[in-house]
Amino acid sequence: MTDDTFLDHAADRLATLPGVHAVTLGGSRAQATHAPDSDWDLALYYRGGFDPAELRAVGWEGEVCEVGAWGGGVFNGGAWLTIDGRHVDIHYRDLNVVDHELAEARQGRFHWEPLMFHLAGIPSYLVVAELAVNQVLRGTLPRPGYPEALRAAAPPFWRERAALTLAYAGGSYARRGQATEVAGALATAAMQTAHAVLAARGEWVTNEKRLLRRAGLGRLDTITAGLRPEPEVLARAIAEAEEVFAAAV
């Protein structure tokens, strides 16, 4: 199959599953930033419940997880499949949850959730960001702009988390010469700051892969590369990071 034929085939099949109202293409392929070997990220939007057994019964090779298996939050499960030789990630999206988080984001309200492979975790408005940037293949979905209330509320939330992360690293890790722990704290705080920067700009974030680059925080590479298990070096690195974060806009 060509890529277009493959995408039509997969979207058509997903759209026929019981409860599914829409299918989208996300990730780098939706934003034309992909490489030839990039995975395909598809999301199925359901209402009133979804039974993963229906997806499993399609017969595509791979692992199909239960709803809630990825933490039970807004990012609530999916599948890793191989379809026509292509690696495909499928995400479940509960439309009742998405509708709620869209309404919350418009009021400047959201919550934070941990998620595997995301150093800073995710905001609940991630599912709203997906509506804004993903390509709808089947069905209809809203295409929200970035709410002004969210632009006001999200940056101080993320800035505070970054400040607390660095303060803890300085008080608990740096003075003991624990370079690995400080490196982890710097990376986490950098991601948190990047969320703040992009929220202030009104730019949606759907993952962390290019987050630091988009926020102009590349200098953190140099800071973390110079870490050594010496209290003075680690304290200086934290201070330098604080300066970088304060200047990031």
Side-chain angles (χ1 to χ4, degrees), residues 97-159:
V97 172
V98 172
D99 289 346
H100 172 75
E101 295 304 336
L102 175 56
E104 288 288 280
R106 285 171 171 162
Q107 298 300 315
R109 296 191 294 263
F110 64 95
H111 64 273
W112 174 90
E113 295 180 0
L115 184 65
M116 285 288 288
F117 317 123
H118 290 69
L119 294 174
I122 61 169
S124 55
Y125 59 77
L126 179 145
V127 294
V128 183
E130 291 175 334
L131 294 177
V133 304
N134 289 359
Q135 178 183 342
V136 179
L137 304 176
R138 299 293 182 271
T140 58
L141 293 168
R143 181 74 70 177
Y146 207 106
E148 286 301 317
L150 190 61
R151 290 185 68 175
F157 170 88
W158 288 111
R159 292 277 186 182

Side-chain angles (χ1 to χ4, degrees), residues 12-226:
D12 282 343
R13 190 66 186 89
L14 291 172
T16 66
L17 298 178
V20 173
H21 286 241
V23 179
T24 66
L25 172 68
S28 61
R29 292 186 179 273
Q31 301 175 52
T33 59
H34 61 283
D37 60 348
S38 293
D39 291 349
W40 295 77
D41 294 296
L42 301 176
L44 53 87
Y45 287 77
Y46 64 88
R47 195 181 297 279
F50 174 72
D51 185 357
E54 300 286 351
L55 176 57
R56 205 171 285 118
V58 174
W60 287 324
E61 179 185 352
E63 180 181 358
V64 176
C65 299
E66 296 304 313
V67 173
W70 294 359
V74 296
F75 211 101
N76 71 336
W80 299 287
L81 304 174
T82 300
I83 306 173
D84 191 48
R86 294 167 172 86
H87 296 293
V88 180
D89 296 339
I90 295 179
H91 300 158
Y92 308 149
R93 292 290 179 266
D94 185 334
L95 277 168
N96 291 336
V97 172
V98 172
D99 289 346
H100 172 75
E101 295 304 336
L102 175 56
E104 288 288 280
R106 285 171 171 162
Q107 298 300 315
R109 296 191 294 263
F110 64 95
H111 64 273
W112 174 90
E113 295 180 0
L115 184 65
M116 285 288 288
F117 317 123
H118 290 69
L119 294 174
I122 61 169
S124 55
Y125 59 77
L126 179 145
V127 294
V128 183
E130 291 175 334
L131 294 177
V133 304
N134 289 359
Q135 178 183 342
V136 179
L137 304 176
R138 299 293 182 271
T140 58
L141 293 168
R143 181 74 70 177
Y146 207 106
E148 286 301 317
L150 190 61
R151 290 185 68 175
F157 170 88
W158 288 111
R159 292 277 186 182
E160 181 182 27
R161 293 183 77 90
L164 291 173
T165 298
L166 289 187
Y168 187 84
S172 297
Y173 300 142
R175 65 188 182 87
R176 295 185 174 94
Q178 294 174 267
T180 299
E181 290 86 343
V182 170
L186 289 174
T188 299
M191 294 297 183
Q192 292 163 336
T193 302
H195 272 290
V197 169
L198 294 180
R201 294 178 189 168
E203 296 183 18
W204 292 112
V205 173
T206 56
N207 61 59
E208 293 182 342
K209 292 178 182 176
R210 296 177 176 84
L211 188 52
L212 297 189
R213 186 185 311 167
R214 290 176 60 191
L217 295 175
R219 186 180 160 194
L220 264 294
D221 287 343
T222 302
I223 294 174
T224 55

